[in-house]
Amino acid sequence: MVKNIIFDFDGTLCDTSSVIVRSFQETLVRSGYPIPEVSACLSVIGLSLYQCFTSLLGCSEAESHRLGDLYAREVFPKNVNAFPVHLFPSVMETLEIIKQKNIPMSIATSREKESAWQLINKTGAGEYMEHIVTPQDVSNGKPYPDMVFHLLKATGLKATETLVVGDAPFDIEMGTRAGCMTCAVTYGNGKKEDLLKCHPTHIIDNISDLLHLL
């Protein structure tokens, strides 16, 4: 029985793919790199910011931090104000029903803390969440289970009664490593075939389908 839900944010609750991809591309072009393919940018969403650049370029840790800082401090804040981001259809209604069922909800996001709080509160999703954890709160980001363990400790609930919901293989692997049930969503940034390879407990095509699992 599900007594606790941990959501990913980007690509699961909120449609931010266009602004993220544009920001990746702009950051790299401004730094003298070739413009990356959209598919390459989408494939790394869900990793911590510095890991994204390491994965895209195979660059050094120092260079990934330089690029990540440029992205976080200049490029993304400019673009997020220029391009709208919004929750996926049915998200607010689904969160409201889950809240009425008294099932606690949290967010485990690879987004940096300041950006995470800004977007989560801007979209209105924050009012439904008991906790929000970011890579800055743990030793290891996704796909390691640290963020889930952090939230389990905060809620006092068990892994076996917790459902981790995400759109990327990194989310599903994180939940599986923590011993949780997992639910992959197909409408986000991850490809369905890649999600199925991670053997999620459930896979859904619309966030409202989550209600059938509770």
Side-chain angles (χ1 to χ4, degrees):
M1 181 178 180
V2 176
K3 297 183 179 180
N4 183 36
I5 301 177
I6 298 173
F7 289 101
D8 169 56
F9 183 68
D10 294 281
T12 300
L13 297 179
C14 190
D15 185 2
T16 53
S17 60
S18 60
V19 69
I20 291 175
V21 169
R22 184 181 182 91
S23 297
F24 278 145
Q25 292 176 329
E26 183 177 333
T27 298
L28 292 175
V29 168
R30 283 174 60 172
S31 299
Y33 291 98
I35 188 167
E37 296 288 339
V38 171
S39 58
C41 295
L42 290 174
S43 71
V44 299
I45 296 177
L47 293 173
S48 68
L49 182 56
Y50 302 132
Q51 286 178 296
C52 288
F53 289 105
T54 301
S55 181
L56 283 171
L57 301 174
C59 60
S60 67
E61 183 177 349
E63 178 66 353
S64 69
H65 276 71
R66 187 187 71 81
L67 292 167
D69 289 344
L70 173 61
Y71 174 103
R73 294 175 183 173
E74 297 182 28
V75 180
F76 185 83
K78 172 180 67 70
N79 287 338
V80 79
N81 288 322
F83 300 91
V85 297
H86 53 81
L87 298 177
F88 285 105
S90 303
V91 165
M92 289 297 280
E93 297 88 340
T94 301
L95 296 181
E96 180 62 33
I97 292 172
I98 295 172
K99 181 180 179 180
Q100 292 173 6
K101 292 178 177 290
N102 295 314
I103 297 174
M105 294 175 280
S106 301
I107 288 175
T109 177
S110 293
R111 183 171 293 284
E112 296 297 293
K113 185 179 291 292
E114 182 178 350
S115 175
W117 280 100
Q118 177 189 9
L119 277 185
I120 291 168
N121 289 327
K122 180 179 180 180
T123 59
E127 65 182 278
Y128 294 97
M129 302 299 156
E130 294 197 2
H131 302 279
I132 298 170
V133 63
T134 74
Q136 292 164 285
D137 299 310
V138 296
S139 298
N140 301 289
K142 301 175 185 179
Y144 293 94
D146 299 33
M147 284 198 276
V148 173
F149 291 149
H150 181 95
L151 290 170
L152 293 178
K153 183 177 180 180
T155 60
L157 293 165
K158 299 177 181 178
T160 52
E161 55 195 16
T162 296
L163 181 66
V164 174
V165 184
D167 71 304
F170 315 116
D171 302 311
I172 304 307
E173 186 176 349
M174 174 184 69
T176 299
R177 287 188 180 190
C180 300
M181 297 173 281
T182 58
C183 179
V185 303
T186 62
Y187 54 80
N189 301 314
K191 296 180 179 179
K192 186 172 184 177
E193 55 266 33
D194 293 333
L195 291 166
L196 287 171
K197 291 176 184 177
C198 297
H199 306 292
T201 313
H202 308 281
I203 188 162
I204 58 176
D205 299 320
N206 188 294
I207 191 65
S208 61
D209 295 335
L210 185 63
L211 300 174
H212 301 304
L213 308 179
L214 306 180

